[in-house]
Amino acid sequence: MNAEIISVGTEILLGEIVDTNAVYLSQLFAKLGIDVFNKITVGDNEKNIMDALEVASKRSDLVVTIGGLGPTEDDITKQSLAKFVGKNLKHDPEALQQIADYFKKQNRPLTKNNERQALLLDGAKPIHNPNGLALGIFYHTEQTDYIVLPGPPSEFEPMVDEKVLPLLSQQYGLEKTIQSKTLHFVGIGEADLAARVDEIVRNQSNPTIALYFKPTDVTIRLTAKANSKLAAEEILNHTKNQLLDRVGEFFYAEGDRVSFTDFVVNQLIKRNISLTAAESLTGGAFESTVVETSGAATIFPGGFVTYADEVKSKLIGVQPATIEENTVVSRQVAEEMARGAQKTLDTDIAVSFTGVAGPGALEHHQPGNVWIGLAKRDGSIVTKEFNFVGNREKIRHLAVMNGFRMIWENVIK
């Protein structure tokens, strides 16, 4: 069978975002034996969407639309499809209840616009969204089948993996089952990890192995194809063990939606390790990231943002002489900040940040020069110097992420 993908979004046409969803779906369809012969990108315009549906329906067995399912007036993909196939839209009760529960939990009023995300074509199957509010659709006709999916990758990819692929296997009797496994690593650089697993990657066709790199986190995604779910899992586990033989010391978690910062905070919660921080250049960004994790209050009593030298001295006991003799961007100041914060709040560990985010230099220290300290209740302390490259925002982000990395390496690992 052949398929066509219609990506809906003016922001894609303007180049404001990259259409990674169409690539993701094309790769999975290829493994299922579904040929994608055409891809179309259209703006948020009813006529253009309907024109694209007209063309795609004449030449494809399956048409997948991506995007345009939000609550605003320009999110009109469902409405355009309904008009094209001559069907009415109605609210799916389960999706509507999910939206109502979400807004109740957020203590926000539910509006008619928000209810648009629960709309379903008459006669269509709902594709429920495990990570968002926009309901997907599968609609079958004698000539062409239609699948309607949301645009945010954090919603789109899990829906494809967990909902769409099983639906297609059932609908079309596809012989192969696809299973994926995502492995997360930290503390190893991009080039080093790639070199260590290169032989496995080059000699492996099933499962496929894809490496993705972030500043402090490396992800390896395995995708296996087999005649059954059990057989696919066996293939995945075999390759996973091969990879861990090479880079297992850097492995920290498995799963599609794993945040390194959430992982670290959850590990501290699980082990009942209390944490505080003293931040200079990061301005509270580290502490803000900590409390994004549910339950962080059980291990995080509070922290310090100490930009001015006198505040470092007044709040957490950094000696003025230490700053004068070593400058504020130094190992000695990072140590006293971490130790002072730990003692002041009597926590198990404390992290400190001092450095230059830019754009200009500070004393003789260039932008990107950062010291991070980690103090423990037993009196031990670890400090590390970094020289990050990037603008002010990137330097501050890298500092925060490496603070979490130091906790993982020295406390959790």
Side-chain angles (χ1 to χ4, degrees), residues 116-400:
R116 289 161 55 98
Q117 294 180 283
L119 288 173
L120 180 68
L121 270 72
D122 271 340
K125 292 182 180 179
I127 303 176
H128 292 285
N129 187 341
N131 292 306
L133 302 180
L135 179 71
I137 291 174
F138 175 78
Y139 182 68
H140 171 74
T141 72
E142 290 186 6
Q143 178 182 348
T144 306
D145 290 339
Y146 301 89
I147 292 178
V148 179
L149 297 171
S154 60
E155 300 178 30
F156 170 83
E157 292 183 12
M159 285 182 76
V160 169
D161 291 347
E162 299 171 21
K163 306 291 184 179
V164 175
L165 293 184
L167 185 153
L168 292 177
S169 295
Q170 180 182 20
Q171 186 71 24
Y172 303 124
L174 300 174
E175 294 181 358
K176 297 294 184 181
T177 295
I178 289 182
Q179 295 290 318
S180 294
K181 191 181 292 289
T182 305
L183 313 177
H184 299 266
F185 302 83
V186 73
I188 183 171
E190 171 182 344
D192 190 11
L193 184 135
R196 293 191 189 202
V197 302
D198 179 65
E199 182 183 357
I200 299 173
V201 174
R202 283 189 292 105
N203 295 327
Q204 189 65 264
S205 59
N206 186 28
T208 58
I209 305 174
L211 278 63
Y212 304 95
F213 303 100
K214 294 182 286 186
T216 58
D217 190 357
V218 183
T219 297
I220 299 180
R221 185 175 179 83
L222 310 176
T223 304
K225 180 169 60 175
N227 292 325
S228 68
K229 182 177 179 180
L230 180 60
E233 284 289 339
E234 289 177 353
I235 293 171
L236 291 173
N237 287 330
H238 175 72
T239 304
K240 172 187 172 181
N241 291 334
Q242 285 184 304
L243 292 168
L244 294 186
D245 284 343
R246 304 285 182 93
V247 289
E249 63 187 292
F250 305 103
F251 173 73
Y252 75 87
E254 177 182 320
D256 286 334
R257 299 288 163 210
V258 176
S259 159
F260 178 57
T261 57
D262 277 348
F263 170 79
V264 170
V265 176
N266 278 315
Q267 286 296 311
L268 295 177
I269 294 170
K270 186 180 298 184
R271 304 177 192 199
N272 196 29
I273 299 173
S274 56
L275 164 73
T276 188
E279 301 183 64
S280 185
L281 85 153
T282 47
F286 175 85
E287 296 163 52
S288 177
T289 305
V290 168
V291 299
E292 286 177 2
T293 299
S294 177
T298 62
I299 51 95
F300 178 70
F304 307 89
V305 178
T306 58
Y307 261 87
D309 292 352
E310 57 269 26
V311 175
K312 290 180 177 67
S313 299
K314 184 176 181 179
L315 294 184
I316 51 177
V318 177
Q319 297 299 309
T322 304
I323 297 175
E324 184 177 351
E325 293 171 8
N326 302 283
T327 77
V328 72
V329 184
S330 62
R331 174 182 57 80
Q332 293 85 353
V333 169
E335 285 184 356
E336 290 194 10
M337 287 176 68
R339 188 177 292 114
Q342 184 275 320
K343 289 183 177 179
T344 301
L345 293 188
D346 192 30
T347 55
D348 294 312
I349 61 172
V351 184
S352 64
F353 302 84
T354 182
V356 188
L362 176 64
E363 296 176 326
H364 63 276
H365 302 285
Q366 295 301 310
N369 185 209
V370 174
W371 280 91
I372 302 177
L374 174 63
K376 299 181 182 180
R377 188 186 293 277
D378 63 9
S380 63
I381 189 162
V382 178
T383 55
K384 190 170 182 179
E385 184 180 22
F386 300 87
N387 287 285
F388 301 126
V389 177
N391 59 23
R392 181 177 176 83
E393 180 181 0
K394 183 176 181 181
I395 289 168
R396 294 175 72 242
H397 174 71
L398 289 172
V400 168

Side-chain angles (χ1 to χ4, degrees), residues 15-219:
E16 294 175 357
I17 64 171
V18 178
D19 185 10
T20 59
N21 291 334
V23 175
Y24 185 85
L25 191 59
S26 294
Q27 291 172 341
L28 288 182
F29 276 2
K31 293 166 188 171
L32 285 171
I34 300 174
D35 297 314
V36 178
F37 290 134
N38 296 283
K39 298 178 187 178
I40 305 174
T41 302
V42 297
D44 300 295
N45 176 279
E46 183 183 271
K47 182 180 184 303
N48 291 343
I49 295 172
M50 292 183 68
D51 287 346
L53 289 168
E54 177 76 27
V55 172
S57 299
K58 290 178 179 178
R59 63 190 182 190
S60 301
D61 304 308
L62 173 65
V63 176
V64 182
T65 70
I66 306 172
L69 304 190
T72 61
E73 292 298 324
D74 62 345
D75 291 311
I76 54 173
T77 301
K78 286 180 184 176
Q79 291 79 357
S80 301
L81 177 61
K83 187 173 181 179
F84 176 74
V85 298
K87 290 290 182 177
N88 293 322
L89 288 164
K90 61 181 181 180
H91 289 110
D92 176 71
E94 182 178 339
L96 195 60
Q97 187 61 52
Q98 179 186 358
I99 294 172
D101 291 344
Y102 173 82
F103 277 88
K104 183 178 181 180
K105 185 177 180 181
Q106 296 293 316
N107 201 23
R108 293 165 53 194
L110 176 62
T111 68
K112 291 296 182 183
N113 274 2
N114 298 120
E115 293 179 351
R116 289 161 55 98
Q117 294 180 283
L119 288 173
L120 180 68
L121 270 72
D122 271 340
K125 292 182 180 179
I127 303 176
H128 292 285
N129 187 341
N131 292 306
L133 302 180
L135 179 71
I137 291 174
F138 175 78
Y139 182 68
H140 171 74
T141 72
E142 290 186 6
Q143 178 182 348
T144 306
D145 290 339
Y146 301 89
I147 292 178
V148 179
L149 297 171
S154 60
E155 300 178 30
F156 170 83
E157 292 183 12
M159 285 182 76
V160 169
D161 291 347
E162 299 171 21
K163 306 291 184 179
V164 175
L165 293 184
L167 185 153
L168 292 177
S169 295
Q170 180 182 20
Q171 186 71 24
Y172 303 124
L174 300 174
E175 294 181 358
K176 297 294 184 181
T177 295
I178 289 182
Q179 295 290 318
S180 294
K181 191 181 292 289
T182 305
L183 313 177
H184 299 266
F185 302 83
V186 73
I188 183 171
E190 171 182 344
D192 190 11
L193 184 135
R196 293 191 189 202
V197 302
D198 179 65
E199 182 183 357
I200 299 173
V201 174
R202 283 189 292 105
N203 295 327
Q204 189 65 264
S205 59
N206 186 28
T208 58
I209 305 174
L211 278 63
Y212 304 95
F213 303 100
K214 294 182 286 186
T216 58
D217 190 357
V218 183
T219 297

